[in-house]
Amino acid sequence: MSDHHSASPSGSGSDPHSGSSSGGDPARRSAHYSDKELQEEVSALETKSATAARLFDIRRLIGGLFVVYGVIVTIAGITASDADIDRAEGLNINLWTGLSMLALGLFFLVWLKLRPIAPPLLPPDATDAVQERQQGD
Amino acid sequence: MQTPTHLPAPFTPHLTPPTGPTDAISPMDPTGAIGPTDPAGPLHLAAELRLPTNWLDYLILGIYFVVVLGIGFAARRSVKTSLDFFLSGRSLPAWVTGLAFVAANLGATEILGMAANSAQYGVYTTHWYWIGAIPAMVFLGLVMMPFYYGSKVRSVPEFLLLRFDKAAHLLSSILFACAAILIAGVNLYALAIVVEALLGWPQWVAIVVAGFFVLAYITLGGLSSAIYNEVLQFFVILAALIPITVLGLRSVGGWDGLSDSLTKSHGADFMTSWGGTGIGSDNPLGANWLTIVLGLGFVLSFGYWTTNFAEVQRALSAKNLSAAQRTPLIAAYPKIFIVFLVMIPGLVAAVLVPQIGTPESDLQYNDAIPYLMSQLLPNGVLGIAVTGLLAAFMAGMAANISSFNTVFTTDIWARYVVKGREDGYYVGFGRLITVVGVMASIGTAFLASSFSNIMSYLQTLFSFFNVPMFVVFIIGMFWKRASMKSGFWGLIAGTTAAMVNYFVLYKQGIVGIPTDQGANFVSAIAGFVAGAVVMVVVTLFTAPKPAEDLQGLVYGTTSPGMAEPPAAGDDAWYRKPALLGWGAVILAALCYIPFSF
C-alpha cells in the first residue's frame, strides 16, 4: 500500500501550468497518486475546460424566472378576493410577494446589464462585488 | 449527506408506519378532541393537509420544471472535459458557489426537520445554526480550503489518498458513495410522502417524476447544472419561507404574542437558547451546554461541514483559491438568518396547535410548515411555496447524486477499475453512473417505504462516519508525523466507537442519556476521542509519510497550487477571507444575545 511515487512536488516554485506541455497527454489518467502528478493532470484539464467560456450566466436565469413569477403573483394579488385576503391574516400577501419577487428579478437583470461577464481570458471577478456586499449585510 | 449527518433526523418519514386515514378529528380544534388514535402513531402527514391548489399554483410549478430542464440543456454545451462535468471546470464565481453551498444543505428534510425541531424543543434550534454551523463553515474557509483547493484534489477522498494511503481512500470513497445513494433515496421518499399529503399524487408518481428531473439535468450538465439549480432553489425557497413566516407571526400577534403564549404553555426555557442547559439540570433536548458545544458545535458540525463532499464539492468548483475560501464564508451569512425562517413557523405551529406531536392531534411536528401553508397561503404564493419545497427536495437529492458520481468515477472507477483511459471516457462513464445512481436512489426510496427501520439504522450508521473523517483530516493536516496507515485505522476506530456508544451503551440503557439527540452528541465525542487516540498509537508504530510527499497537504507547507496569484480585485477589503470569516463568527455570537437571558 505504499507504492507512491516519491517525485518531489513543488519546492521549485515552478508554474504548475508549465507541466501540461511536457510529455504526452497529461489529461490521460494514470494510476498515480502523487501530489505533483495530480496537480499536472488537473492543471491540464483546467486549460481545456470549457465551462468558463461556454456556461451561461445564472443571473439571466434568476432574473428571468423571478420577473415572470413576480408578474404572475402580482396579478394574483391585484385580483385577490376578500376571502383570499382574510385567509392571509388581512394582508394581501400575493401582492407583496409578487412585487418583491419582481424587484429581485429586476435586480439580477440590471446587475447583469451593468457588469456583464468579462471575456474568459481576462477573468476579473468584479461581478462578485455587488453580490457579496449584499450577502454581507 | 444532508440531514442525518449533523441533524439527528428529527424529520423521520421512515419511522412512522403509515396508518389508515384518520380524518375524523379536526387538528385545528384547540379543545383537543380525543379521537381514536392509533397506538402505532398518527399518520405521518395528516390528511387535512391537502392544499387547496388550483391552476395558478400548477402553472408556477410547471414553469419551474421547464426551467430546471432548460438549465440542464443550456449547461450541456459547457461540458467538454471531466473537470467540467465533475467540478464545473473549477471556474465558478464565489457568490454562485457560496449560495450553492448553503442551498445544498437547505434541503426540504432540513427545512421541515428544523421547523419540527422548533415546534418540539423551541429556540434550542438556533444551536444547529449559530454554533452547529457557522464556526465549522468559517474554519473550512479560513483554515482547510488552502489545502483542499491548493492541492487540486477533485474530491474529499482524493485528499485522503494523497495524505494517507489507498486503504483510507478506498474505505472513505465506498462509504461516501453508499451514504450518498442512501440519503438521496431517503430524500426522494420524504418528497413522495409530502407530495402525497399536500397534492394528492400517488407516492410512486412523485418518486419517478422527481427522480427523472434530477437524472435529466445532472446527466446533461453535470455539476454546473446542479449548482445553478441550487442557486435558483435558494431564492425560490426564500420566496416561499418569508411569506409563511410573516403571516405566521401575524396570526399569533407578532413576536411578543408568540413569545408570551409559548412561555405560558411551555415554560420560559422554551424561548431561550441556553436556559436549562446547565450540567445536571433537565431540559427537553437532553443535552447540557458542554455536549452542545463539544458534540454538536465541534465534532458533529465540523465533521459535516468540513469533510462532507456534497458540501465541499461546491467550494472546489470555485474559480480560484480566494473564491474557494470565500464559498463557505459567503454561505455563512444567509445561514445565520435562515434559522428564523424555519424556527418561527415551527414555534407558530406550536401555538396554533398546542397538541402538535402528541397523540391528541393528527399533526406531527414535521407537519408544522405544511400546516401553515394550508392555513395561511392563498393561491399564487401557495404555488411558490409548493415549488420551493419540491425544489428543495430535488436539490437535496441532486447534491448527493452530483457528489456520488464524482467520487464513484474519479476515486473508485478511474483509480482502481479502469485506469488510464482518455478523458472523454470518464465523462461518458460519469453520465452513465449518474443514471445508475438515480436508479439506485429510486430503488432505495421504494425500499425505505417498506423497511423503514433498517433505513433509519443505516442513516445513523453513516452519520457516525463523518466524525472520524474529521479527526483524520484535522490530525493529518496539522501533524506531519501522522503515518500513512494511521488514517485508515483512525477511521475504523472512530466509527466503531461512535456506533458502540450509540447502539450498545445508549440503546441498551447501559449509560443513561435522556434523548436521541443527547446520545448523538455524546457518541460523536466518543468517536472523535477514539479516532484521535488510535491515530496517535498507530503513528508511533508505523512509518511516516516522506516529507516531500506532504507538500501542500500539511499545515506549514505549500504547494504550487497555493502560489497562484489572486485575480484582479480579490484584494478588496470586503473580499478578505479573514474579515468575512470573523465577521460571520461575531455576528452569530451576537445573535445569541437576545436569546440567552
Side-chain angles (χ1 to χ4, degrees):
Chain A
M1 252 177 272
S2 58
D3 55 329
H4 60 88
H5 313 290
S6 54
S8 167
S10 79
S12 60
S14 63
D15 177 9
H17 292 271
S18 66
S20 60
S21 57
S22 64
D25 179 7
R28 279 180 79 94
R29 306 209 176 199
S30 59
H32 64 71
Y33 66 104
S34 89
D35 192 20
K36 189 180 180 195
E37 288 173 13
L38 180 77
Q39 297 243 354
E40 282 175 4
E41 182 186 331
V42 173
S43 299
L45 287 172
E46 265 181 315
T47 59
K48 292 183 184 171
S49 155
T51 304
R54 288 170 147 189
L55 189 62
F56 65 97
D57 194 320
I58 183 68
R59 291 175 295 177
R60 189 184 308 280
L61 198 95
I62 301 173
L65 182 70
F66 271 71
V67 166
V68 170
Y69 275 176
V71 169
I72 293 176
V73 177
T74 304
I75 291 174
I78 292 171
T79 59
S81 65
D82 288 345
D84 282 342
I85 294 178
D86 286 347
R87 178 181 172 79
E89 301 292 324
L91 196 68
N92 193 339
I93 193 71
N94 270 336
L95 188 64
W96 289 110
T97 308
L99 290 175
S100 310
M101 292 181 85
L102 195 57
L104 183 71
L106 291 174
F107 165 80
F108 273 101
L109 293 180
V110 169
W111 178 21
L112 179 68
K113 184 94 182 154
L114 294 181
R115 306 240 185 169
I117 284 190
L121 288 179
L122 303 163
D125 61 354
T127 50
D128 287 7
V130 182
Q131 180 66 20
E132 275 166 28
R133 226 172 284 140
Q134 185 199 15
Q135 288 302 312
D137 283 345
Chain B
M1 303 275 288
Q2 176 171 276
T3 311
T5 41
H6 74 304
L7 157 64
F11 185 81
T12 46
H14 42 286
L15 288 182
T16 323
T19 60
T22 53
D23 50 2
I25 320 157
S26 160
M28 283 75 81
D29 185 357
T31 57
I34 310 292
T37 47
D38 192 312
L43 203 62
H44 170 65
L45 280 174
E48 298 89 311
L49 288 175
R50 183 67 47 82
L51 299 176
T53 43
N54 66 8
W55 63 272
L56 184 61
D57 304 312
Y58 274 102
L59 173 69
I60 290 171
L61 186 60
I63 291 174
Y64 192 80
F65 277 115
V66 170
V67 169
V68 162
L69 273 193
I71 290 179
F73 280 106
R76 182 163 193 228
R77 56 191 295 272
S78 73
V79 177
K80 196 171 142 207
T81 66
S82 62
L83 198 68
D84 290 318
F85 190 75
F86 295 121
L87 279 186
S88 300
R90 289 170 46 117
S91 65
L92 297 179
W95 72 270
V96 170
T97 54
L99 292 182
F101 188 94
V102 71
N105 167 257
L106 194 64
T109 48
E110 160 92 6
I111 294 166
L112 299 182
M114 281 302 166
N117 219 24
S118 310
Q120 189 171 5
Y121 301 117
V123 176
Y124 288 137
T125 301
T126 53
H127 292 312
W128 271 267
Y129 291 78
W130 298 337
I131 200 165
I134 305 305
M137 293 164 86
V138 170
F139 186 82
L140 173 65
L142 294 186
V143 181
M144 292 175 72
M145 200 47 72
F147 301 107
Y148 270 138
Y149 193 88
S151 66
K152 301 208 170 185
V153 295
R154 288 161 295 191
S155 72
V156 168
E158 196 161 66
F159 187 89
L160 288 181
L161 179 65
L162 294 183
R163 176 63 187 84
F164 296 100
D165 59 8
K166 284 185 175 174
H169 176 242
L170 197 57
L171 177 69
S172 62
S173 301
I174 290 174
L175 276 171
F176 179 83
C178 295
I181 292 299
L182 177 81
I183 293 164
V186 168
N187 247 288
L188 207 48
Y189 176 56
L191 170 139
I193 295 177
V194 172
V195 167
E196 184 182 41
L198 299 187
L199 302 178
W201 302 4
Q203 288 190 9
W204 69 268
V205 172
I207 290 178
V208 170
V209 167
F212 167 77
F213 276 93
V214 168
L215 180 144
Y217 75 75
I218 298 187
T219 311
L220 288 167
L223 184 68
S224 303
S225 255
I227 285 184
Y228 272 15
N229 269 299
E230 281 157 12
V231 174
L232 201 57
Q233 174 237 334
F234 173 80
F235 290 105
V236 176
I237 202 75
L238 286 191
L241 289 178
I242 292 173
I244 295 175
T245 306
V246 169
L247 293 182
L249 272 180
R250 271 175 84 96
S251 70
V252 292
W255 178 261
D256 290 336
L258 180 71
S259 186
D260 289 348
S261 35
L262 284 175
T263 303
K264 211 173 291 167
S265 58
H266 291 72
D269 286 347
F270 198 75
M271 295 302 288
T272 70
S273 295
W274 297 104
T277 60
I279 293 176
S281 63
D282 198 26
N283 67 64
L285 201 58
N288 57 50
W289 66 268
L290 191 67
T291 51
I292 290 172
V293 171
L294 285 183
L296 175 64
F298 183 58
V299 182
L300 278 177
S301 133
F302 277 65
Y304 173 79
W305 291 102
T306 65
T307 67
N308 178 0
F309 183 53
E311 291 292 334
V312 174
Q313 186 179 25
R314 272 78 201 139
L316 293 185
S317 68
K319 64 182 171 189
N320 57 33
L321 177 57
S322 167
Q325 284 198 282
R326 280 180 281 135
T327 296
L329 306 179
I330 290 171
Y333 288 89
K335 184 76 184 168
I336 291 174
F337 297 106
I338 282 169
V339 63
F340 294 110
L341 299 183
V342 291
M343 181 175 77
I344 290 175
L347 296 176
V348 168
V351 173
L352 295 182
V353 191
Q355 303 88 359
I356 190 169
T358 65
E360 280 93 63
S361 169
D362 275 1
L363 291 178
Q364 297 202 348
Y365 294 118
N366 285 328
D367 302 336
I369 283 182
Y371 173 75
L372 294 188
M373 281 166 65
S374 71
Q375 295 301 303
L376 298 173
L377 299 185
N379 294 114
V381 176
L382 183 62
I384 299 285
V386 168
T387 304
L389 215 49
L390 283 190
F393 272 120
M394 290 189 348
M397 176 185 175
N400 285 295
I401 294 293
S402 63
S403 51
F404 161 81
N405 65 17
T406 304
V407 165
F408 198 92
T409 307
T410 60
D411 289 297
I412 299 176
W413 197 258
R415 195 66 77 176
Y416 299 105
V417 185
V418 176
K419 308 174 202 173
R421 290 285 298 271
E422 73 284 0
D423 190 63
Y425 167 80
Y426 294 103
V427 178
F429 184 81
R431 290 203 156 106
L432 176 72
I433 202 67
T434 305
V435 176
V436 173
V438 171
M439 293 301 167
S441 311
I442 290 177
T444 312
F446 283 115
L447 267 180
S449 60
S450 337
F451 301 101
S452 54
N453 283 336
I454 297 175
M455 287 298 160
S456 117
Y457 275 117
L458 277 178
Q459 239 179 312
T460 314
L461 196 153
F462 281 125
S463 79
F464 286 135
F465 186 68
N466 266 15
V467 170
M469 277 285 272
F470 173 57
V471 190
V472 168
F473 265 87
I474 209 74
I475 293 185
M477 275 183 179
F478 287 94
W479 192 33
K480 259 184 231 169
R481 176 70 180 80
S483 70
M484 285 190 293
K485 290 198 186 326
S486 66
F488 176 78
W489 292 108
L491 289 176
I492 293 279
T495 311
T496 311
M499 286 197 299
V500 165
N501 186 68
Y502 190 84
F503 290 111
V504 180
L505 296 184
Y506 164 66
K507 285 286 184 194
Q508 309 296 325
I510 297 171
V511 292
I513 304 170
T515 65
D516 282 359
Q517 309 264 10
N520 229 43
F521 298 170
V522 175
S523 305
I525 297 171
F528 183 88
V529 172
V533 168
V534 167
M535 277 189 83
V536 171
V537 172
V538 171
T539 292
L540 294 178
F541 293 99
T542 52
K545 190 128 180 156
E548 66 266 22
D549 284 356
L550 293 176
Q551 292 299 320
L553 303 175
V554 180
Y555 197 74
T557 65
T558 52
S559 71
M562 293 183 195
E564 280 178 31
D570 276 355
D571 50 355
W573 65 269
Y574 52 82
R575 289 203 191 104
K576 295 257 187 255
L579 181 80
L580 283 172
W582 286 107
V585 170
I586 291 168
L587 195 56
L590 290 177
C591 282
Y592 263 124
I593 292 177
F595 299 100
S596 293
F597 304 102

